Amino acid sequence: MATPYVLGIGGSTRLGSSTELVVRGVLAHASDSGCQTEMFAGPDLVLAPYEPGRELDPAAAKLVAAFRRADAIVIGSPGYHGSISGLVKNALDYTEALRTDERVYFDGLAVGCVATAFGWQGAVNTLSTLRQITHALRGWPTPLGIALNTSDKSLFEGGQVVDAAVLESMSMMADQLKTFAQRRQLQQA
Ligand SMILES: Cc1cc2nc3c(=O)[nH]c(=O)nc-3n(C[C@H](O)[C@H](O)[C@H](O)COP(=O)(O)O)c2cc1C
């Protein structure tokens, strides 16, 4: 069976983005369990506003190639004004390039959704929006989503997640992504 390729996208352009840390943490667990991983973090997602029909510039083409290659995806967004950030939404709009592919959008892929915000309302709304977008893209949100209230400063230390419950969630999400990706690979073999 081929090594599953797990793509992480998201975070903000803020140095030390907490959302990026969590997505990277999920990828690290996936990598430890034998997956291949790649992260497109905040600055990699600074792309021209998506425009239907316009030729992709090199940065957008790189992201689209990663979307096409992915066996599983982790998407992380901070909550901005009650929903996902424009940066992450714009990056996801580039999935439109996959609309006429044999595998349309994220069809059949497990998608782990991660949301952080400075309060529970923003975090949970943002997680819910990411899961709805995943459905719109024909993906399968993992049973476990991660919503974090980053007003709790004890979650992170020295640029790492240190909270035991969050660490466990990251590991569990990575397991769910890998298991689903491998089941899909078996079905297609
Ligand atoms: C433009 C902007 C809008 C925000 N809106 C909300 C919000 O509506 N609700 C909330 O709880 N936090 C809000 N926040 C706080 C961020 O969601 C929170 O600090 C998040 O963890 C930042 O993620 P990052 O560390 O990855 O940049 C906002 C932050 C910014 C910069």
Side-chain angles (χ1 to χ4, degrees), residues 88-149:
V88 172
K89 182 61 169 67
N90 187 50
L92 289 172
D93 286 344
Y94 277 89
T95 56
E96 196 57 16
L98 281 63
R99 190 171 59 89
T100 54
D101 282 11
E102 194 181 332
R103 184 187 85 193
V104 177
Y105 301 132
F106 296 161
D107 195 14
L109 299 188
V111 180
C113 299
V114 172
T116 77
F118 212 68
W120 285 115
Q121 185 169 297
V124 172
N125 277 343
T126 301
L127 176 63
S128 175
T129 302
L130 285 173
R131 291 166 72 92
Q132 285 177 30
I133 291 171
T134 297
H135 284 145
L137 293 175
R138 308 190 192 186
W140 296 67
T142 53
L144 183 77
I146 300 178
L148 295 187
N149 179 346

Side-chain angles (χ1 to χ4, degrees), residues 3-7 35-38 40 66 69-73 185:
T3 305
Y5 166 72
V6 184
L7 168 69
C35 298
Q36 216 187 322
T37 64
E38 188 174 15
F40 283 67
R69 190 177 156 213
D71 297 306
I73 301 183
Q185 284 177 324

Side-chain angles (χ1 to χ4, degrees), residues 21-22 148 152-168 170:
L21 285 180
V22 179
L148 295 187
D152 179 352
K153 293 298 166 207
S154 69
L155 300 178
F156 302 93
E157 205 178 289
Q160 298 288 329
V161 175
V162 291
D163 182 87
V166 179
L167 287 169
E168 195 182 340
M170 285 157 47

